[in-house]
Amino acid sequence: MPEGKIIKALSGFYYVRNEDGEIIQCRGRGVFRKNKVTPLVGDNVVYQAENETDGYILEVFERKNELIRPPISNVDQAILVFSAVEPDFSPLLLDRFLVLVEFNDIKPIICISKTDLTNENMSAKINNYASTYKDIGYDVLLTSTKAKDGVDRLLPFLDGQISVFAGQSGVGKSSLLNSLRPDLELKTNDISTSLGRGKHTTRHVELIEVGNGLLADTPGFSSLEFTTIETDELAYCFPEIYDHGSNCKFRGCTHTSEPKCAVIRGVEEGDIQQFRYDHYVSFLEEIKDRKPRY
């Protein structure tokens, strides 16, 4: 049986690209509904062709990860786009995205846009934040409002990868996508100055070819709640906290008040940035206060 990858899902149809690059319009067999399996964009599947253009999906291979909103699977990396200004850079929001990405075993790439619009003080702050995240081990790209600048810096990271865009609203994600693939002509709305938000008119998820990789044309994460992360899993999503935590005296240390906590010592000695630790504690409390799932 032929195999392929779902590159678009729309109105009950799944568009599968096979090994020859051909697109087959498929429906899911009834067994998927019976087993409560919903094929997702990004799934590697087995299908049965009825003719040259139509067929049925017979099997969905195991996923290495999956996201609910947006509905997509087998993502390699997330391009987290945050602006330096308009709207102002938010390390708290960035860390929330990073936790969600890390938890889903997706590599994050931080892209800070509009750096040419900053004043001297803001520029220094952005550079300090960029250095902090680089020291943790993240790839950080600083781009300007010039479209070609973002494209030139980002394209090498897309090669051979399945990527998804996410990040602050109104920072120009669609504009960057348009620069990467001008033929898409994605519709964007201007930022509302009163709300500080932008809108994206995308109605479905689709994997599009950009360079030598595939990029999800999607408005990104529409839910930023930690609905599936447990308290003992949060530290894994902060690499520097997880690394220091292996040296804590007590197993199961929450890194908040326990004696001889290596994480607290790391914060005191400057090895862990205070703002990152504060975000960790805040997220931990949020998870503790979360209503139980039934």
Side-chain angles (χ1 to χ4, degrees):
M1 287 292 179
E3 299 178 6
K5 180 184 291 291
I6 298 176
I7 62 168
K8 181 169 71 171
L10 185 63
S11 302
F13 288 100
Y14 303 98
Y15 296 83
V16 178
R17 188 175 76 173
N18 64 23
E19 295 175 350
D20 296 324
E22 300 166 331
I23 306 298
I24 310 297
Q25 178 180 274
C26 296
R27 285 193 178 275
R29 285 290 194 189
V31 67
F32 290 121
R33 289 188 293 274
K34 181 180 178 181
N35 297 332
K36 296 182 179 180
V37 173
T38 301
L40 295 175
V41 170
D43 276 343
N44 298 307
V45 300
V46 176
Y47 69 92
Q48 179 178 348
E50 288 191 314
N51 51 53
E52 291 183 357
T53 59
D54 299 280
Y56 286 91
I57 293 175
L58 300 178
E59 180 183 354
V60 175
F61 289 116
E62 184 177 356
R63 300 161 179 158
K64 73 174 183 179
N65 56 44
E66 67 179 87
L67 301 173
I68 304 302
R69 289 181 286 182
I72 190 171
S73 68
N74 298 318
V75 177
D76 296 314
Q77 59 187 18
I79 314 298
L80 304 181
V81 186
F82 279 69
S83 59
V85 291
E86 300 177 12
D88 288 344
F89 179 75
S90 171
L92 176 62
L93 189 56
L94 173 56
D95 282 347
R96 182 173 284 272
F97 272 101
L98 285 170
V99 166
L100 292 169
V101 169
E102 292 275 12
F103 182 73
N104 285 285
D105 193 27
I106 298 171
K107 178 184 177 181
I109 295 174
I110 301 169
C111 179
I112 304 178
S113 63
K114 305 182 185 178
T115 55
D116 55 324
L117 301 183
T118 59
N119 58 32
E120 188 174 341
N121 288 337
M122 181 57 74
S123 179
K125 287 182 179 179
I126 293 299
N127 287 332
N128 284 336
Y129 280 125
S131 295
T132 294
Y133 287 107
K134 286 179 181 178
D135 289 343
I136 293 170
Y138 293 122
D139 290 311
V140 181
L141 309 178
L142 301 178
T143 66
S144 71
T145 54
K146 297 176 182 177
K148 194 173 185 302
D149 178 45
V151 171
D152 289 346
R153 293 173 187 266
L154 191 54
L155 265 180
F157 288 90
L158 303 181
D159 280 356
Q161 303 294 306
I162 294 180
S163 308
V164 61
F165 268 32
Q168 249 172 327
S169 294
V171 299
K173 293 188 292 293
S174 293
S175 297
L176 190 52
L177 271 171
N178 279 333
S179 300
L180 289 163
R181 276 284 302 271
D183 56 303
L184 294 175
E185 298 180 349
L186 296 178
K187 295 179 180 178
T188 60
N189 290 339
D190 292 334
I191 299 172
S192 165
T193 53
S194 60
L195 298 176
R197 296 200 294 257
K199 293 183 179 179
H200 190 305
T201 58
T202 302
R203 292 289 184 267
H204 65 276
V205 180
E206 180 176 357
L207 287 174
I208 56 176
E209 291 186 47
V210 177
N212 296 317
L214 292 172
L215 183 62
D217 170 16
T218 161
F221 299 92
S222 55
S223 175
L224 295 177
E225 298 177 357
F226 303 134
T227 54
T228 59
I229 303 176
E230 302 299 335
T231 53
D232 60 346
E233 296 172 318
L234 182 62
Y236 291 94
C237 305
F238 285 79
E240 73 277 38
I241 290 177
Y242 176 70
D243 288 344
H244 279 75
S246 61
N247 295 317
C248 287
K249 181 179 180 181
F250 296 105
R251 190 175 181 180
C253 181
T254 64
H255 317 306
T256 54
S257 59
E258 294 87 347
K260 295 186 179 181
C261 171
V263 170
I264 294 176
R265 185 170 67 250
V267 176
E268 293 171 346
E269 295 176 353
D271 295 329
I272 298 173
Q273 290 294 314
Q274 184 70 51
F275 81 90
R276 286 275 292 174
Y277 177 73
D278 291 343
H279 295 167
Y280 165 80
V281 173
S282 174
F283 296 162
L284 191 67
E285 290 303 313
E286 180 179 333
I287 293 171
K288 287 179 179 178
D289 293 340
R290 184 181 63 205
K291 292 181 180 179
R293 299 199 306 273
Y294 297 103

